[in-house]
Amino acid sequence: MSTLAHTMMTAARSADSGMAGPGELDRYPYADPRGTERATPNWDGVDSEMNRVGRRSGGSRGRGLHGQLVQQLGQMIVSGDLGADRPLVPEEIGQRFEVSRTVVRESLRVLEAKGLVSARPNVGTRVRPVSDWNLLDPDIIEWRAFGPQREEQRRELSELRWTIEPLAARLAAGHGREDVQQRLADMAEIMGHAVAQGDTLTFSRADAEFHALLLQVTGNRMLEHLSGIVCSALQVSGGPVTGCDRPTETSAGLHTSIVEALGAGDAAAAESAMRQLLAVLPEVDRVVPAPREH
């Protein structure tokens, strides 16, 4: 096992135990929604002590009360606990969650930027319908994974990956950089060792970085922008959808095949290997039919 593989597998195990560990993978916020309890507070008549945002730090990408309030309100909106056109009164929110007006105001601005709420003069702040949400926002992807739309999102994320990742693999073969190529090879190696050791956490972290890197070397800035979305899809898909969702020797081997095709500059082989990877699990065929090879 290479030094990098050993370091990153150690870091993943440290993260799993709640300890901060070294390693490049710590750049990404990895969370396993299947092992996380979703907070579903009742907005009406809630117990203020149970819903005090300072007590709910798990799963929040932000830090402090601001990040936690964004997380709490976002989950409530996406889950339907706060329905469309529901008025959000800042004073009421501050009292319910025991936070200052500044925290409430900044949190609502973040939610507005995500398309979840709108603020208008003489009307106030109201929840917006699903059609207005930024469904490609990583936070919204995460929140939907815990709500009643989880199966619909699972299908949509799978279809999105089927659309963009084979193309990304093809384009990346023509834009290879030695440092990125080595990094992709390292990730594939780590996945192989993780499968052998039954280390699901390390596999998923290396897998997320692999696919993010691939999108970042396509030479297409719009595809590069989607790298965070693919990472989120890998982390919160809610169940096995593609070969990346369940660590197997076949999955690890196909990642290696992609690396080899990229190194050889073989765009067709890279695209084919990616399609095979996304079709490893039979249930994928029921979600998105595999395109015909030409």
Side-chain angles (χ1 to χ4, degrees):
M1 183 188 302
S2 69
T3 301
L4 176 61
H6 180 271
T7 298
M8 295 174 74
M9 294 180 80
T10 301
R13 286 192 289 269
S14 296
D16 194 34
S17 65
M19 298 173 60
E24 186 71 7
L25 288 178
D26 290 332
R27 291 180 298 147
Y28 297 102
Y30 300 95
D32 186 353
R34 288 166 290 185
T36 304
E37 183 180 356
R38 183 173 77 89
T40 55
N42 181 5
W43 180 263
D44 296 311
V46 298
D47 181 86
S48 61
E49 189 67 13
M50 289 297 293
N51 283 277
R52 183 169 184 170
V53 294
R55 296 175 179 269
R56 297 188 182 276
S57 58
S60 176
R61 280 189 171 85
R63 292 291 183 267
L65 296 179
H66 168 260
Q68 293 173 46
L69 184 57
V70 169
Q71 179 86 358
Q72 187 82 303
L73 292 176
Q75 287 182 339
M76 294 175 73
I77 293 171
V78 171
S79 69
D81 290 343
L82 295 176
D85 207 38
R86 174 68 181 263
L88 298 178
V89 182
E91 291 77 11
E92 180 183 353
I93 295 174
Q95 292 174 1
R96 294 288 189 182
F97 296 102
E98 302 180 22
V99 294
S100 69
R101 292 180 181 179
T102 299
V103 170
V104 174
R105 183 171 59 252
E106 293 303 316
S107 298
L108 291 177
R109 285 178 179 173
V110 172
L111 295 175
E112 184 174 16
K114 297 177 184 295
L116 295 179
V117 304
S118 62
R120 297 179 181 177
N122 303 321
V123 175
T125 301
R126 291 182 176 273
V127 176
R128 299 171 70 173
V130 178
S131 58
D132 292 342
W133 298 355
N134 179 8
L135 296 179
L136 297 182
D137 182 282
D139 281 328
I140 294 181
I141 289 175
E142 178 182 315
W143 298 333
R144 290 182 76 201
F146 294 107
Q149 302 173 30
R150 64 175 66 89
E151 288 303 320
E152 180 180 359
Q153 179 187 248
R154 184 168 174 258
R155 173 185 59 80
E156 291 170 351
L157 287 173
S158 180
E159 291 172 349
L160 179 63
R161 293 189 62 196
W162 266 93
T163 301
I164 66 175
E165 292 201 69
L167 172 61
R170 171 177 284 276
L171 294 176
H175 294 82
R177 291 195 346 237
E178 185 175 347
D179 57 334
V180 176
Q181 180 73 19
Q182 182 58 53
R183 189 68 183 173
L184 288 168
D186 290 339
M187 295 303 103
E189 179 188 0
I190 289 168
M191 280 184 269
H193 288 301
V195 168
Q197 296 188 15
D199 190 343
T200 302
L201 177 61
T202 296
F203 183 96
S204 65
R205 299 181 104 189
D207 185 42
E209 181 159 344
F210 182 98
H211 289 270
L213 282 172
L214 190 64
L215 286 167
Q216 291 167 12
V217 293
T218 60
N220 184 309
R221 291 183 180 179
M222 296 185 72
L223 283 176
E224 180 180 343
H225 184 70
L226 296 176
S227 62
I229 296 167
V230 170
C231 272
S232 296
L234 286 165
Q235 297 304 315
V236 299
S237 60
V241 176
T242 71
C244 300
D245 297 300
R246 183 185 301 166
T248 64
E249 291 184 3
T250 300
S251 175
L254 285 170
H255 282 87
T256 299
S257 296
I258 293 171
V259 172
E260 292 174 348
L262 294 177
D266 191 335
E271 179 180 359
S272 176
M274 180 61 77
R275 291 193 186 282
Q276 292 179 60
L277 175 61
L278 295 176
V280 164
L281 296 182
E283 64 185 275
V284 174
D285 294 332
R286 298 196 295 270
V287 178
V288 183
R292 296 179 180 178
E293 295 289 344
H294 295 287

